[in-house]
Amino acid sequence: MATQDAAANTAPRSAPDSATPSYTRPLVIVTTLFFMWGFLTCLNDILVPHLKSIFDLSYARAMLIQFAFFSAYFLFSVPWSKVVNAIGYQRTMVAGLLTMALGALLFLPASSAASYPLFLSALIVLAAGITGLQVAANPYVTLLGEPETASSRLVLTQAFNALGTTVAPKIGGLLILSSAPLALDQLRQLAPQALQGYRVQEAASVRIPYTVIAVALLLLAVLIAFSKLPTIANAAGDRGERVNDSVWKHANLRLGALGIFAYVGAEVSIGSFLVNYFGLPEVAGLSALAAAGFVSFYWGGAMVGRFLGAGVLRRIKAGHVLGLCAVCAASLVTTSMLTGGRTAMWTILAVGFFNSIMFPTIFSLGVAELGPLTGSGSGILNMAIVGGAILPVIQGAIADQFGLHHAFILPVVCYLYILYYGLRGSRPNSERYPKS
């Protein structure tokens, strides 16, 4: 996820005369972080149907998984930005990885107790660590190279984030959804002691995956800690420097925060419901395990789109590309709502391709022309990721009331706002208030 060319223009590099190729090795190292947090974020799409069946949850209550996870962005983005200012980008990445490892390990007592609140608590800690990575790694990537290529470099790096989201549903489905859960009527007939025993048995499927994840995160923390990464100054301006400007004077930032809120909410809402959606008789009637395999196509489309988008954004105005992708995404979701069978399934999966460039593009447009305020603007945009916490719960409530098929109207509304932002709302102050 992103920051911006403006940050690169204002932040001094430790080696300004170095050629861009000298940043290849640190970029490769940092890219592993993008893969890891993409993988972990997308595992939630497997946890949602798994915990829903174990604890007999409504759609709205099951979406508390995403609410707990994405609320961390709202709660911890500003604190992590202060950590970056205090200890720098590299050490913040290490701290984020250690926090993530702790969150992954908390899945062990949560599964042993078969406690839904403990699972939510573990997710909050895990997401708090991911927030630290986001706050540190996004601006770091944009500063590792020429300012003119910052946006396309970030989109390319995020392609590996999408690689993580692509493989996660397949691997998570095989490890977590391998056994068929009891039907609801069978579940409700169990005695309390037998019900708890069943929940413990089913919840145990998360232990091995999250233990392996915790070990991988610790090893990655060691790798980052001992890597010789370039030291880059914070882009927030010199200490003590007074900036005669305010982030709130930049409409492209204010509207961009709403754009991030809408985009992340739409993307997460769709991804969270795919397994249950494909299980509907009028759509595909798939088992949870089979449906989880198809979720990879949704995130795989985002990966392909980002690889292609890195080149397209060098040639076509970013706002126009964003608007076109929003129109296509809204049209595909609408088609899925109005149809059934394989048409409904594949049209909703195709939305992933058009989601691909939305986050980095909105982010870049949002912090355009902020100069020394780029750091503060980046924090505001990161907080807006809380859309992934709020909108899935709303969609879950709609699904409980009107049916899952009709609940996808919410992402359509989100994409229509993104269309407006790409074509009108993203204009920076130099275009809104041109000097005569």
Side-chain angles (χ1 to χ4, degrees), residues 14-75:
S14 58
D17 295 327
S18 298
T20 300
S22 65
Y23 294 122
T24 301
R25 181 176 175 275
L27 271 175
V28 170
I29 293 173
V30 174
T31 296
T32 61
L33 304 181
F34 284 75
F35 173 87
M36 184 58 74
W37 87 57
F39 183 91
L40 290 171
T41 300
C42 199
L43 267 188
N44 291 349
D45 294 345
I46 303 303
L47 283 177
V48 167
H50 185 57
L51 298 185
K52 183 180 185 299
S53 64
I54 291 176
F55 296 104
D56 188 14
L57 303 173
S58 66
Y59 283 117
R61 286 195 66 206
M63 285 304 108
L64 290 177
I65 293 170
Q66 300 293 21
F67 182 84
F69 189 88
F70 285 95
S71 290
Y73 286 94
F74 183 80
L75 296 173

Side-chain angles (χ1 to χ4, degrees), residues 85-282:
N85 290 336
I87 66 176
Y89 291 107
Q90 184 172 356
R91 290 178 180 176
T92 302
M93 294 177 204
V94 175
L97 286 165
L98 294 176
T99 305
M100 291 166 64
L102 174 61
L105 289 173
L106 288 176
F107 273 77
L108 301 182
S111 62
S112 297
S115 169
Y116 191 48
L118 282 181
F119 275 114
L120 298 180
S121 300
L123 282 167
I124 290 174
V125 176
L126 180 64
I130 293 177
T131 303
L133 288 191
Q134 295 264 26
V135 171
N138 285 325
Y140 191 77
V141 166
T142 63
L143 300 177
L144 284 177
E146 296 301 323
E148 295 77 15
T149 58
S151 294
S152 62
R153 185 165 60 251
L154 186 60
V155 171
L156 181 61
T157 307
Q158 286 209 347
F160 290 91
N161 174 275
L163 176 61
T165 64
T166 301
V167 300
K170 192 69 175 178
I171 295 175
L174 291 173
L175 296 176
I176 297 175
L177 299 177
S178 56
S179 62
L182 293 178
L184 289 182
D185 56 343
Q186 296 175 301
L187 199 63
R188 292 167 181 171
Q189 291 174 5
L190 294 178
Q193 186 174 357
L195 177 60
Q196 181 64 13
Y198 168 77
R199 287 174 172 172
V200 170
Q201 177 184 337
E202 290 296 304
S205 63
V206 306
R207 292 178 190 169
I208 293 178
Y210 279 90
T211 299
V212 173
I213 287 168
V215 173
L217 290 169
L218 291 172
L219 293 175
L220 194 53
V222 172
L223 172 65
I224 298 294
F226 289 96
S227 296
K228 293 183 179 180
L229 300 181
T231 301
I232 297 176
N234 195 296
D238 297 332
R239 294 185 183 274
E241 176 187 354
R242 297 183 63 86
V243 180
N244 187 25
D245 195 4
S246 168
V247 290
W248 305 114
K249 294 180 180 179
H250 295 263
N252 58 305
L253 174 67
R254 300 195 307 268
L255 298 175
L258 290 175
I260 293 292
F261 183 94
Y263 160 71
V264 177
E267 181 185 55
V268 174
S269 293
I270 293 173
S272 299
F273 286 104
L274 287 180
V275 172
N276 293 113
Y277 188 55
F278 296 159
L280 296 177
E282 66 268 26

Side-chain angles (χ1 to χ4, degrees), residues 256-386:
L258 290 175
I260 293 292
F261 183 94
Y263 160 71
V264 177
E267 181 185 55
V268 174
S269 293
I270 293 173
S272 299
F273 286 104
L274 287 180
V275 172
N276 293 113
Y277 188 55
F278 296 159
L280 296 177
E282 66 268 26
V283 177
L286 298 177
S287 67
L289 179 58
F294 281 97
V295 175
S296 292
F297 288 98
Y298 177 70
W299 298 106
M303 177 184 66
V304 173
R306 283 174 182 166
F307 278 118
L308 296 176
V312 171
L313 287 168
R314 290 173 178 261
R315 297 173 175 82
I316 303 176
K317 191 174 180 180
H320 294 166
V321 177
L322 180 62
L324 176 62
C325 287
V327 168
C328 293
S331 300
L332 287 167
V333 176
T334 302
T335 301
S336 183
M337 290 174 57
L338 297 177
T339 59
R342 295 287 168 163
T343 300
M345 186 176 81
W346 286 107
T347 49
I348 202 72
L349 288 174
V351 174
F353 178 83
F354 295 100
N355 279 342
S356 59
I357 58 90
M358 287 187 183
F359 186 97
T361 304
I362 296 172
F363 211 113
S364 297
L365 293 171
V367 296
E369 300 185 2
L370 292 189
L373 296 174
T374 299
S376 299
S378 177
I380 291 171
L381 292 175
N382 268 307
M383 290 177 68
I385 296 174
V386 74

Side-chain angles (χ1 to χ4, degrees), residues 318-320 322-323 365 417-427:
H320 294 166
L322 180 62
L365 293 171
Y417 175 79
I418 294 170
L419 169 63
Y420 158 75
Y421 182 73
L423 299 183
R424 299 289 296 175
S426 61
R427 292 177 300 160

